[in-house]
Amino acid sequence: MPCTGLQLQVLGGVYVPFSGIVKHISGQSSETTKDHKSIASAGYNFGMDTYALHVAMAALVGASLVAVSAYHMHRKTLSQLLEFAQAMERERGDAEEYEVSAQHLKRSGADKRRKHSRLKNIANFRRESASLPDVTAISREIDGEEKRNGPLLVDGIPAGLARLHTLPEGRSVGHANSTGRPAHVIRPTSPKSPVASAFESVEGSDDEDNLTDNSKLDTSGPEGKSLYQNLPEDNVNGSQMPIPAPSMIRSHSVSGDLHGVQPDPIAADILRKEPEHETFVQLKITPNEAPLPDEVEAYLVLQECLGLRESYVFREHIAPWEKEVTSKATTPKPIQNPFHFSSEPKSDHFFQMEDGVVQVYPTKDSRVKLFPVADATAFFTDLHYILRVIAAGNIRTVCHHRLVLLEQKFNLHLMLNADREFLAQKSAPHRDFYNVRKVDTHVHHSACMNQKHLLRFIKSKLRKEPDEVVIFRDGTYLTLKEVFESLDLTGYDLNVDLLDVHADKSTFHRFDKFNLKYNPCGQSRLREIFLKQDNLIQGRFLAELTKQVFSDLMASKYQMAEYRISIYGRKQSEWDQLASWIVNNELCSENVVWLIQIPRLYNVYKEMGIVTSFQNMLDNIFLPLFEVTVDPDSHPQLHLFLKQVVGLDLVDDESKPERRPTKHMPTPAQWTNIFNPAFSYYVYYCYANLYTLNKLRESKGMSTIKFRPHAGEAGDIDHLAATFLTAHNIAHGINLRKSPVLQYLYYLAQIGLAMSPLSNNSLFLDYHRNPFPMFFLRGLNVSLSTDDPLQIHLTKEPLVEEYSIAASVWKLSSCDLCEIARNSVLQSGFSHALKSHWIGNEYYKRGPEGNDIHKTNVPHIRVEFRHMIWKEEMQQIYLSAAKIPEEVDK
């Protein structure tokens, strides 16, 4: 800012006009100033002397004023500091007197409030001097907070962690006082759970950090007890649920650093904590009043539906964890020679096919059925009953309300306990999402590699084995080089785009085009050479490719797969060919088990003249299995292969229109027309024969095979009704979103759903419309799987790719991912010994007793919540008379 006249800079930036200083010193009036100006204009020499005198006088007087002002301000500040120190000493003495008795505590509290008022007045008085900073504010904040509340919480330490205890110098442990008002804690940020809807109201808000949430605050009081433990039982907002936590072998260590450098407080406190909080906020929002008559009627019908399922599903008489006794300290040892065959005696059982179902008798002359199974008439009658139930309006309403309530309960659980779950995971040593076991519960073997892997393998074979005779076409044997020459291709020409095996927009709602993607470069001959096991080279290329995929799984260590391989039912020798391929190429891995998939292609075989009736197809599929069970020596390689088979699957396009079957349907021997039977028709006859086979194999001490078909990817809702009655787990199940009754029944029965959102995105349902996150919120037993990595995925680890995309799109937290991974192990068909090693020795128990956070990285809080809500729903359905099993289904 411009100024007139001479100015002097004093007091660090304050400019004082020269004329003002002269006026202040001499005390003269404005007329005197005018006289000075007239004298200055009288003569040049005289004016210069006057100017110099004025400058000297102004400098002397200005310096004196500065010195006097600084002295007074310094004295005033020292007086305030001394007074504040005396007040703090008096307060410390009073605080020590508080501990004498409760009466003294109350009296001292009044004195403390008076002192606080006096200190407040002192602070206000001190702030009147605005020219200097408030030098006592920091001292008061640190000393006061530490004396009242113990150690000061450092910004950045998440709520719930143990404080880093540091005592003032010269103070003993006995003088540490933790009473007083709680210190302010900044709410930590933790990964959000799938359900961003639970937090969308504050997401992105400037006031988000100022929100108060009990789940974000440190709830530990004196002696480490939770502040929530004394809540009344009828607390409507929530109460604390104690959870037993296994102790960690981890002790405090004193830093030996001579310079006194302490470890990072955040990391140190996390490592010193137990891997699980003792309490969590338990929701108590289940109404206590009796259900309405309409609800009671609906609950009785749902009870009957669950009872029908229990009457159909095969359960082992002796659970696997009762058969095998595993050691808690040892890792399961791999089988030294999995393909060594030892002869076993033939049993006297006699079996024969009757009306599409194999019946087993003790001897050939006996007429007593050892393992009776429900006939087709009874099954289709029960199926139609289920279909009537899911169409009833009042039952749909009740189930919809229960499902929405389940979803909102989980949202509330996350709002109250998400940070506790996150801290429990951080406290578990070594484990995170990457090194917990996860199983790809639904993947087809012929597409188990990614497209880049297949391309490298084809180029490698074309370079190393160009003269290998690989195919017989048009009356001529062709070498690999000649095959590519006939296609006018070279190894240099090949790339991923030319391979053209990746699904794109053209495959959406076109299952036929999706199946054509199995043909590399659009050529069926390349599929026969590289992706088939029954070819001229006896599947050698596919076996080598499979071993490379096995090696990748072994290298990842924590990823497993259940590969589905096809039996078509065209001839009985298919079983021996497949078993021979497995055994001769020694395709065995601890990371892999096999499922048999049966394509529903009767109409194709009928038109080709391969089969004459549906009964021929059933004979080709099941009779060899009964033969090898009764007499293992009849099919030794098949006997060895079946030890690795854990499930039976049904596959094909579910979107094809079909006629719903009735109880008056023709038997398989009478089904001689060219039309394909309905899905539920396939389901019953596969289920019935597999049920009898499993009963026979169990009676002989052999492994059993579970029914785990594809269902609910497309098509009618009756597919899911049929699998509800018969299946252990299913693949896909996205059509459950269309039926609240079936969805609720699947939840109550905890039927496993191996879902593949990326595969659905390429075929039937856009990713953002996939019901997986909704199913997960509501507590359905869901897992993530890849389906067809060759057509769907782009990376070397397709299963991790599936998890990562789901986590990104649906905002799944680390706890959510680990829970899904744990579900995948429970759904899988791996042995009891491996499951015990992977997810805990008591994995088969329901609730937190069956969870080991050191192996699953799933907090007990989450498992306890899921189990508690499921029990409440079961009690609701059974009108408080439910018998809750302590173990998962066999």
Side-chain angles (χ1 to χ4, degrees):
M1 180 177 180
C3 59
T4 59
L6 183 63
Q7 293 181 340
L8 293 179
Q9 184 176 3
V10 296
L11 295 179
V14 179
Y15 288 87
V16 182
F18 170 76
S19 58
I21 294 177
V22 174
K23 188 186 303 181
H24 178 72
I25 296 172
S26 61
Q28 296 178 357
S29 63
S30 60
E31 288 79 8
T32 307
T33 305
K34 294 179 181 178
D35 293 342
H36 278 287
K37 291 182 179 179
S38 62
I39 295 173
S41 63
Y44 177 76
N45 292 332
F46 180 77
M48 290 298 294
D49 293 340
T50 305
Y51 175 77
L53 178 62
H54 288 175
V55 169
M57 292 177 63
L60 178 62
V61 174
S64 301
L65 290 175
V66 170
V68 172
S69 176
Y71 169 76
H72 283 287
M73 293 175 65
H74 180 65
R75 183 174 179 178
K76 181 179 180 180
T77 302
L78 288 178
S79 300
Q80 292 176 355
L81 286 174
L82 289 174
E83 185 177 356
F84 177 75
Q86 292 173 359
M88 296 306 299
E89 284 297 327
R90 289 193 298 270
E91 183 180 352
R92 178 180 300 179
D94 293 340
E96 292 176 353
E97 293 175 1
Y98 295 162
E99 301 176 359
V100 176
S101 65
Q103 182 178 3
H104 292 170
L105 180 62
K106 295 179 181 179
R107 188 162 55 245
S108 299
D111 295 339
K112 187 175 180 180
R113 286 192 295 270
R114 288 195 296 271
K115 289 181 177 65
H116 179 70
S117 176
R118 184 169 63 253
L119 290 177
K120 185 175 181 181
N121 294 334
I122 294 173
N124 293 335
F125 175 73
R126 182 173 63 256
R127 293 190 185 95
E128 290 177 358
S129 177
S131 58
L132 285 181
D134 189 359
V135 295
T136 63
I138 299 175
S139 173
R140 182 185 67 166
E141 181 179 351
I142 294 178
D143 294 341
E145 293 294 334
E146 188 167 356
K147 289 178 178 64
R148 292 176 177 86
N149 305 315
L152 191 66
L153 292 181
V154 182
D155 288 352
I157 299 180
L161 291 180
R163 296 188 177 93
L164 186 63
H165 295 284
T166 57
L167 295 175
E169 190 173 322
R171 300 270 291 175
S172 65
V173 178
H175 289 94
N177 186 12
S178 61
T179 60
R181 58 183 178 87
H184 171 69
V185 181
I186 293 183
R187 182 168 62 87
T189 349
S190 62
K192 291 188 178 180
S193 249
V195 279
S197 61
F199 303 97
E200 280 175 358
S201 59
V202 296
E203 199 170 334
S205 170
D206 293 335
D207 299 331
E208 182 176 358
D209 291 336
N210 297 327
L211 295 176
T212 302
D213 189 344
N214 289 337
S215 67
K216 308 290 194 304
L217 299 179
D218 181 11
T219 60
S220 59
E223 302 178 3
K225 294 183 179 179
S226 171
L227 299 178
Y228 289 111
Q229 288 180 348
N230 297 324
L231 286 177
E233 289 297 325
D234 56 348
N235 183 11
V236 295
N237 296 323
S239 63
Q240 295 298 305
M241 184 69 182
I243 298 178
S247 60
M248 291 174 53
I249 304 175
R250 195 177 289 276
S251 60
H252 290 267
S253 59
V254 180
S255 173
D257 191 348
L258 297 178
H259 300 284
V261 178
Q262 299 296 326
D264 175 54
I266 299 177
D269 284 353
I270 290 174
L271 293 178
R272 290 167 185 164
K273 283 187 67 62
E274 293 291 333
E276 187 64 62
H277 292 286
E278 294 183 357
T279 58
F280 77 102
V281 179
Q282 177 187 1
L283 301 175
K284 289 188 176 180
I285 57 177
T286 302
N288 295 324
E289 61 270 13
L292 300 176
D294 286 347
E295 294 177 338
V296 172
E297 180 183 355
Y299 293 157
L300 293 175
V301 172
L302 294 176
Q303 288 181 34
E304 189 172 354
C305 292
L306 293 173
L308 284 175
R309 170 176 167 80
E310 285 303 314
S311 67
Y312 277 95
V313 176
F314 168 75
R315 305 291 187 195
E316 295 184 52
H317 183 67
I318 302 176
W321 46 88
E322 297 174 357
K323 297 177 185 177
E324 304 178 48
V325 179
T326 58
S327 174
K328 296 184 179 181
T330 59
T331 302
K333 295 181 179 180
I335 301 174
Q336 297 298 326
N337 189 0
F339 298 111
H340 172 70
F341 176 76
S342 58
S343 179
E344 297 185 19
K346 178 182 177 180
S347 63
D348 295 331
H349 294 97
F350 174 75
F351 61 90
Q352 65 181 7
M353 186 74 74
E354 300 176 7
D355 293 334
V357 179
V358 177
Q359 300 294 343
V360 180
Y361 302 93
T363 62
K364 188 174 182 179
D365 298 330
S366 176
R367 290 292 91 191
V368 178
K369 296 179 181 179
L370 288 179
F371 313 114
V373 64
D375 58 19
T377 300
F379 173 78
F380 289 117
T381 300
D382 293 335
L383 175 62
H384 280 266
Y385 175 77
I386 297 290
L387 294 176
R388 289 196 301 273
V389 168
I390 66 178
N394 62 326
I395 302 177
R396 289 170 61 90
T397 300
V398 169
C399 292
H400 174 71
H401 288 169
R402 301 306 304 177
L403 289 169
V404 172
L405 182 59
L406 286 172
E407 187 172 345
Q408 297 308 321
K409 283 182 178 180
F410 187 75
N411 288 338
L412 289 172
H413 168 77
L414 289 181
M415 294 175 67
L416 296 172
N417 297 300
D419 288 341
R420 289 180 173 85
E421 293 178 344
F422 183 50
L423 292 171
Q425 284 189 303
K426 292 172 71 174
S427 302
H430 178 64
R431 293 296 174 194
D432 53 39
F433 164 72
Y434 292 98
N435 57 14
V436 296
R437 264 71 178 194
K438 52 194 80 70
V439 180
D440 195 345
T441 49
H442 170 209
V443 53
H444 300 281
H445 170 253
S446 56
C448 64
M449 72 297 295
N450 61 71
Q451 52 185 339
K452 187 64 176 178
H453 188 177
L454 179 61
L455 177 65
R456 287 199 308 266
F457 184 82
I458 293 175
K459 284 188 172 184
S460 173
K461 289 303 176 184
L462 192 57
R463 183 177 64 255
K464 296 178 181 178
E465 303 180 33
D467 299 325
E468 177 77 17
V469 178
V470 294
I471 197 171
F472 180 78
R473 281 289 176 95
D474 301 327
T476 306
Y477 289 95
L478 298 177
T479 64
L480 187 60
K481 182 179 180 181
E482 290 172 343
V483 169
F484 276 89
E485 287 177 350
S486 67
L487 300 175
D488 196 21
L489 292 174
T490 65
Y492 182 78
D493 296 330
L494 290 175
N495 57 39
V496 167
D497 297 328
L498 185 60
L499 207 62
D500 193 26
V501 294
H502 203 67
D504 51 25
K505 294 181 179 179
S506 65
T507 63
F508 196 70
H509 285 288
R510 290 295 303 273
F511 202 88
D512 54 339
K513 286 190 175 182
F514 185 84
N515 281 336
L516 292 178
K517 291 294 182 178
Y518 280 94
N519 298 328
C521 303
Q523 299 295 321
S524 61
R525 64 182 68 183
L526 293 183
R527 179 181 182 179
E528 181 180 345
I529 294 170
F530 291 101
L531 298 178
K532 292 285 187 178
Q533 82 271 3
D534 54 343
N535 53 20
L536 188 63
I537 58 176
Q538 297 180 351
R540 181 169 64 85
F541 285 174
L542 181 59
E544 294 177 9
L545 193 57
T546 301
K547 288 183 178 180
Q548 293 179 9
V549 176
F550 285 5
S551 298
D552 292 340
L553 289 176
M554 291 290 290
S556 69
K557 183 179 179 181
Y558 297 101
Q559 297 181 45
M560 288 75 192
E562 296 182 310
Y563 289 133
R564 285 160 162 80
I565 194 164
S566 295
I567 289 291
Y568 296 94
R570 295 172 296 192
K571 50 187 178 181
Q572 294 189 21
S573 60
E574 287 179 3
W575 282 105
D576 289 324
Q577 291 177 356
L578 177 59
S580 174
W581 178 74
I582 294 286
V583 173
N584 293 338
N585 291 285
E586 297 184 349
L587 297 179
C588 182
S589 171
E590 289 186 2
N591 296 61
V592 173
V593 291
W594 299 95
L595 279 85
I596 301 300
Q597 63 180 22
I598 301 173
R600 293 180 288 107
L601 298 176
Y602 162 78
N603 57 329
V604 176
Y605 307 149
K606 175 64 177 177
E607 291 178 356
M608 296 174 62
I610 298 176
V611 297
T612 58
S613 66
F614 189 70
Q615 182 66 62
N616 293 149
M617 191 172 174
L618 293 175
D619 291 342
N620 296 336
I621 294 171
F622 290 104
L623 288 182
L625 298 179
F626 281 90
E627 290 175 5
V628 72
T629 301
V630 172
D631 184 11
D633 291 345
S634 62
H635 305 272
Q637 291 179 324
L638 179 57
H639 175 68
L640 294 174
F641 172 55
L642 288 180
K643 293 181 179 180
Q644 301 183 41
V645 175
V646 299
L648 184 73
D649 190 2
L650 284 174
V651 297
D652 199 33
D653 183 8
E654 291 187 67
S655 63
K656 294 178 182 178
E658 61 186 23
R659 181 181 176 185
R660 180 174 293 176
T662 67
K663 62 182 179 181
H664 304 295
M665 296 293 288
T667 64
Q670 297 170 345
W671 194 286
T672 57
N673 57 57
I674 61 172
F675 300 106
N676 205 30
F679 177 88
S680 53
Y681 194 87
Y682 272 98
V683 164
Y684 169 73
Y685 285 103
C686 288
Y687 151 77
N689 285 286
L690 192 60
Y691 180 92
T692 307
L693 177 66
N694 282 331
K695 286 291 186 180
L696 177 61
R697 292 182 65 84
E698 184 184 27
S699 68
K700 298 193 65 175
M702 299 179 180
S703 60
T704 57
I705 301 171
K706 292 185 177 180
F707 189 43
R708 297 168 55 182
H710 280 53
E713 184 180 17
D716 295 333
I717 202 69
D718 66 311
H719 297 187
L720 290 165
T723 53
F724 169 75
L725 290 175
T726 58
H728 290 84
N729 302 328
I730 65 170
H732 295 299
I734 56 178
N735 273 356
L736 285 174
R737 73 191 193 279
K738 299 180 179 179
S739 173
V741 180
L742 271 178
Q743 188 183 146
Y744 191 52
L745 286 172
Y746 269 71
Y747 166 75
L748 294 174
Q750 285 295 290
I751 301 173
L753 307 177
M755 304 188 70
S756 307
L758 287 177
S759 173
N760 301 145
N761 185 65
S762 298
L763 267 172
F764 293 110
L765 190 66
D766 289 337
Y767 201 93
H768 70 278
R769 296 179 56 202
N770 197 285
F772 176 87
M774 179 181 66
F775 290 173
F776 177 75
L777 290 180
R778 294 176 176 181
L780 275 74
N781 184 10
V782 294
S783 65
L784 285 172
S785 57
T786 59
D787 198 353
D788 296 284
L790 181 63
Q791 282 83 15
I792 307 299
H793 300 84
L794 300 174
T795 63
K796 187 178 180 180
E797 295 184 338
L799 185 59
V800 174
E801 181 181 347
E802 193 82 39
Y803 275 87
S804 64
I805 293 176
S808 300
V809 174
W810 295 319
K811 296 180 175 62
L812 301 177
S813 68
S814 174
C815 182
D816 302 329
L817 295 178
C818 292
E819 182 185 3
I820 296 168
R822 179 176 181 266
N823 288 345
S824 72
V825 177
L826 292 173
Q827 292 177 16
S828 71
F830 283 91
S831 67
H832 166 67
L834 288 175
K835 288 184 179 180
S836 298
H837 178 59
W838 292 344
I839 60 175
N841 292 288
E842 297 182 336
Y843 71 90
Y844 50 86
K845 293 184 178 180
R846 295 186 183 272
E849 292 79 9
N851 180 55
D852 185 351
I853 189 175
H854 298 283
K855 294 184 177 181
T856 64
N857 203 36
V858 181
H860 296 327
I861 294 174
R862 175 65 63 87
V863 180
E864 170 67 16
F865 169 79
R866 294 290 195 191
H867 182 57
M868 177 182 66
I869 298 301
W870 178 77
K871 286 194 301 182
E872 290 178 359
E873 291 300 315
M874 291 295 288
Q875 294 293 352
Q876 185 82 6
I877 294 301
Y878 283 90
L879 305 175
S880 302
K883 296 179 180 179
I884 306 297
E886 296 181 358
E887 298 174 348
V888 298
D889 294 333
K890 301 177 183 178

